[in-house]
Amino acid sequence: MSATSGNQLSSNNVISRDPDTEIVDLYMTEELDLITLTAALNMDDAIASVDSPSVTPIVGHMLEIKDAVGTSFYQGGILGVISTGGDGYDLDLDTPLDFPFGMSSSIMLGTREMNVDGSVTARTFLVSPEGLEAGTQWDVTRIVIHIQGTAGMDDGKFGDQAALAKGVIIRAGDGFSKNILNAKTNGEFTERSFDREYSAFPPISKTSVVVRRTFGGVDKNGVVLRISADTGDGVKCIVQDDLTALDLFRITVQGHVTDEFEQSLT
């Protein structure tokens, strides 16, 4: 696969010349519903008024907002839900807004909790710039995987549970699809990532493992994962097994907005 062709993986030298672009640091989420704002949002607002006709928001859901005519984006957790009548809700957010979002913004209600049952129907969790201004591109440099349980963990288990039958798939897409890895055990995460650590200080009565998979860097893959708002793709995790016995399973995606796109705006 060429590192310089079209919607392929990008050369690592993008990282070295991108020290000042906006960072991307988001949870992978499963889309529950696309909803709408009922009032524009100002900088530092911590309450969002929305219309959600299909799914009732609950505490713990995530709210994702993207500026349809720009490159700004937001992700925050819902701390409280107040019904305002009909399908309307005021959502109390754990993180104040860092950008004023207008009524045309793209709004998604989602969940970051990946300890779900995907054994009958696979469940997909995603990070994507879709919904932002056309041409927006993100370069993903690494993902961080966090799993918690209550029993002992070792390299033969997935978290604290038995090895999975099908495995968790990490996939990148940008007009094409590329499987990055399939992990059925903590040990297989190690084989495909190397950076794996069982926590010495988990919460009381819990055990945990953290995995870091880095793409950019000459001592890693040497390329980043480039994803575009125009393709509707992104970096995703596909859950194919029943993970409900895990206490927690989350993945964070990290990277930055590409300087090629930002320079095109100047």
Side-chain angles (χ1 to χ4, degrees), residues 7 129 135-139 174 226-229 256-258 260-261:
N7 288 325
T136 304
Q137 294 178 325
W138 292 352
D139 280 350
D174 194 29
R226 176 160 293 180
I227 53 179
S228 169
H256 57 269
V257 179
T258 65
E260 285 93 339
F261 177 71

Side-chain angles (χ1 to χ4, degrees), residues 170-245:
I170 303 297
R171 175 181 290 177
D174 194 29
F176 68 98
S177 290
K178 176 64 178 178
N179 291 329
I180 305 299
L181 63 85
N182 180 316
K184 300 177 180 67
T185 65
N186 304 325
E188 288 187 354
F189 273 132
T190 307
E191 292 167 359
R192 305 300 297 274
S193 306
F194 183 74
D195 294 320
R196 186 268 295 132
E197 180 177 344
Y198 296 106
S199 177
F201 301 100
I204 295 174
S205 301
K206 306 290 183 182
T207 55
S208 64
V209 61
V210 177
V211 179
R212 179 176 60 189
R213 175 65 153 89
T214 305
F215 303 103
V218 294
D219 59 339
K220 304 295 190 302
N221 285 101
V223 295
V224 297
L225 306 180
R226 176 160 293 180
I227 53 179
S228 169
D230 298 344
T231 64
D233 289 326
V235 179
K236 63 184 67 175
C237 176
I238 303 172
V239 177
Q240 308 179 102
D241 302 88
D242 186 353
L243 305 184
T244 55

Side-chain angles (χ1 to χ4, degrees), residues 55-72:
V55 177
T56 300
I58 62 172
V59 173
H61 280 167
M62 303 294 290
L63 190 70
E64 297 187 3
I65 310 175
K66 294 173 181 174
D67 183 10
V69 293
T71 62
S72 296

